[in-house]
């Protein structure tokens, strides 16, 4: 990060996200808050390690082992607390679980991390782990009181996809047969099997082109992956082991599902359970695509809307993170409501390269478990992304809108009967969009419409707008009354205020942009809680009668909440992470970078 701090010459154009001087912090605050405030120094987190429990455990006689494990694992977990799990990849199995000493070290790692469930993988990158080692590891962890499941990663099956080489060509018969044999082998060993998120294809080889016929690539790939799921994964696994539950893990790149054969609703119906990739990266990273922290929340809630009670948990890894950025992942995954948090993977987290990330999480684990007890009743303005929808030029814009402090309730279904909805280009997947929108407007509803979608709706005779929906040059917000309701068209420039550039900077909004953002938030506050003075990249999560606020900027923030209609004017602090506090006025939230506060 140090290399990114040097660009001091552009204060007037940008906020540095890693400011070297207080001046930048004050400057940042002055833009959004009146009057400027003095912030407490970031205080180190109070850490309560649970390792003492584990040490006691090792000292007790075997007679008491069962009772102690029961005490730790079963009734002691408070309501809402999470299960922590990890994966031993097929390569981890070979390198770390083939000896008694290796298994002991792995178990010690699990104890330290609070991990009570492990996934032992049988296949990855063309390598199938040895049956004897898989069985020995499975039985060892079970005897130690952990829950044990299997995992398969469908990479290296044989003929690769002509597109992304890690994926396979699923038209190719030998690949299909190899896949089936891997699932037969795994289902004989485990009652639950996770599939890592490489179970897709973007292959356009001559075999696929011939098999596709007159279908579009999207149609063919979706049909192919559903067929392979039934005939080469679920069918064989259930034939070998009728108790086997198979979980499909969806990747965090949800805006590309429709290109690669992931069909979330039909796969959620087909598989026994689903899992959610909640991986976050350095938002400044060109390599990782400038990911917004809100993405993990958006995809989790969106897939929970699709998968319902089949939604088992979130999954993230340490790649592309610092320890600080790594911790954004458990924070967001837990805020999104994941009952199980899956830490990919043992071999990486125990390595010198990512050891610091694992240590950082272990130090805060108890705090995250406490946070999970406040998490339920997610709400916000319905943000509509139909399954298999194409984002057009608006990929991941819904993550950016969330990072503006506009709470979203992600959904794959048009929110009939809602008072408000957020609509972007993705909604055009729904061929009944306009009639549905008209019904919402006729009931007096408000639709927040992105600029590109407004452009696409412009001139539609079914939508009798009295004025063009397109924004004029340098116009950032516009309200058009249509059919008894309101269309609020917002410029691209507003969500893009949350974008972190390759030099780790966010653009400094002009006066006009700041005023437009405030006006947009005022309109939002008719429907949900938001903040008029928080800078972009402070996300707000309404949770029943509670509200969580997370500062994902790199400077301290003071802000107030609005839109708490009918709720108490004076807030109560329920939970604070990393030095966040509520001021004595009961209204001003003080949030150091990457901190979180839950108030009611
Ligand atoms: Zn192919």
């Amino acid at each position: 990060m140090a290399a990114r701090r040097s660009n001091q010459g552009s204060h007037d154009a940008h906020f540095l996200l890693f400011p070297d001087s207080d001046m930048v912090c004050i400057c940042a605050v002055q833009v959004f808050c009146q009057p400027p405030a003095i912030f407490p120094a970031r205080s180190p987190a109070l850490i309560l390690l649970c390792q003492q429990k584990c040490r006691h455990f090792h000292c007790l006689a075997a007679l008491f082992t069962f009772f102690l494990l029961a005490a730790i694992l079963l009734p002691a977990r408070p309501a809402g607390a999470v299960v922590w799990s990890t994966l031993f990849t097929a390569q981890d199995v070979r390198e770390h679980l083939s000896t008694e000493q290796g298994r002991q070290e792995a178990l010690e790692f699990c104890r330290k991390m609070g991990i009570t469930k492990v996934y032992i993988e049988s296949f990855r990158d063309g390598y199938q782990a040895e049956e004897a080692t898989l069985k020995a590891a499975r039985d060892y962890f079970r005897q130690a009181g952990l829950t044990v499941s299997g995992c398969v990663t469908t990479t290296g099956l044989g003929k690769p996809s002509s597109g992304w080489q890690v994926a396979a060509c699923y038209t190719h018969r030998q690949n299909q047969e190899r896949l089936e044999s891997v699932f037969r082998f795994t289902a004989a060993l485990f009652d639950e099997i996770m599939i890592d998120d490489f179970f897709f294809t973007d292959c356009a080889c001559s075999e696929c082109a011939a098999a596709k016929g007159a279908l579009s690539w999207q149609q063919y790939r979706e049909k192919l992956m559903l067929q392979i799921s039934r005939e080469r994964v679920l069918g064989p696994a259930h034939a070998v082991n009728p108790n086997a539950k198979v979980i499909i893990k969806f990747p965090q790149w949800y805006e590309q599902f429709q290109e690669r054969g992931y069909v979330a609703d039909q796969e959620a119906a087909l598989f026994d359970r689903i899992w959610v990739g909640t991986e976050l990266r350095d938002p400044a990273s060109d390599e990782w695509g400038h990911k917004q922290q809100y993405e993990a929340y958006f995809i989790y809630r969106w897939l929970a809307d699709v998968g319902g009670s089949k939604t088992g948990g979130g999954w993230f890894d340490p790649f592309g993170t610092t320890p600080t950025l790594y911790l954004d992942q458990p924070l967001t995954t837990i805020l999104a409501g994941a009952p199980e948090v899956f830490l990919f993977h043992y071999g990486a987290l125990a390595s010198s390269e990512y050891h610091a990330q694992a240590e950082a999480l272990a130090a805060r684990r108890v705090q995250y478990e406490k946070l999970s007890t406040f998490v339920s009743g997610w709400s916000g303005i319905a943000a509509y992304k139909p399954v298999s929808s194409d984002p057009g030029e608006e990929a991941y814009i819904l993550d950016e809108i969330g990072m503006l402090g506009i709470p979203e309730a992600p959904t794959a279904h048009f929110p009939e009967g809602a008072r408000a909805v957020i609509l972007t280009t993705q909604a055009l997947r729904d061929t009944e969009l306009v009639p549905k929108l008209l019904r919402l407007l006729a009931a007096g509803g408000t639709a927040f419409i992105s600029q590109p979608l407004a452009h696409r709706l412009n001139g539609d005779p079914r939508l009798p707008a009295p004025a063009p929906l397109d924004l004029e040059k340098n116009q950032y917000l516009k309200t058009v009354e249509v059919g008894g309701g309101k269309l609020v068209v917002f410029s691209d420039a507003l969500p893009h205020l949350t974008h972190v550039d390759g030099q780790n900077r966010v653009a400094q909004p002009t006066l006009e942009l700041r005023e437009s953002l405030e006006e947009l938030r005022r309109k939002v506050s008719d429907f949900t809680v938001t903040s008029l003075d928080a800078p972009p990249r402070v996300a707000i999560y309404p949770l029943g009668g509670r509200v969580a606020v997370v500062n994902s900027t790199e400077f301290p923030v003071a802000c107030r909440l609005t839109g708490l209609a009918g709720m108490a004017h004076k807030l109560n602090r329920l939970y604070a992470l990393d030095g966040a506090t509520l001021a004595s006025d009961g209204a001003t939230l003080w949030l150091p970078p990457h901190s979180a506060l839950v108030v009611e």
Side-chain angles (χ1 to χ4, degrees), residues 71 94 306 351 386 444 449 472 573:
R94 181 180 61 205
V306 172
S351 73
I449 308 270
E472 286 155 33
R573 189 188 99 157

Side-chain angles (χ1 to χ4, degrees), residues 159-162 169-172 201 203-209:
K159 180 182 170 181
S161 168
S162 68
C169 170
Y170 287 99
T171 307
H172 190 64
T201 187
C203 191
C205 75
S206 54
E207 276 184 271
C208 287

Side-chain angles (χ1 to χ4, degrees), residues 219-246:
Q219 288 169 329
Y220 176 65
R221 287 171 185 154
E222 292 186 353
K223 176 170 168 267
L224 176 66
M225 295 314 295
L226 288 167
Q227 181 193 335
I228 297 297
S229 296
R230 278 189 298 265
E231 296 175 5
R232 301 295 190 170
V233 174
L234 292 162
H238 291 151
V240 169
N241 178 354
N243 295 323
K245 305 288 183 213
V246 185

Side-chain angles (χ1 to χ4, degrees), residues 240-273:
V240 169
N241 178 354
N243 295 323
K245 305 288 183 213
V246 185
I247 309 169
I248 184 165
K249 183 222 169 187
F250 290 104
Q252 108 295 31
W253 37 265
Y254 63 85
E255 296 280 39
Q256 277 87 41
F257 286 180
Q258 72 287 350
E259 297 167 10
R260 296 171 181 164
Y262 274 119
V263 49
D265 54 349
Q266 292 187 61
E267 287 177 326
L270 207 54
F271 282 85
D272 300 297
R273 299 176 80 194

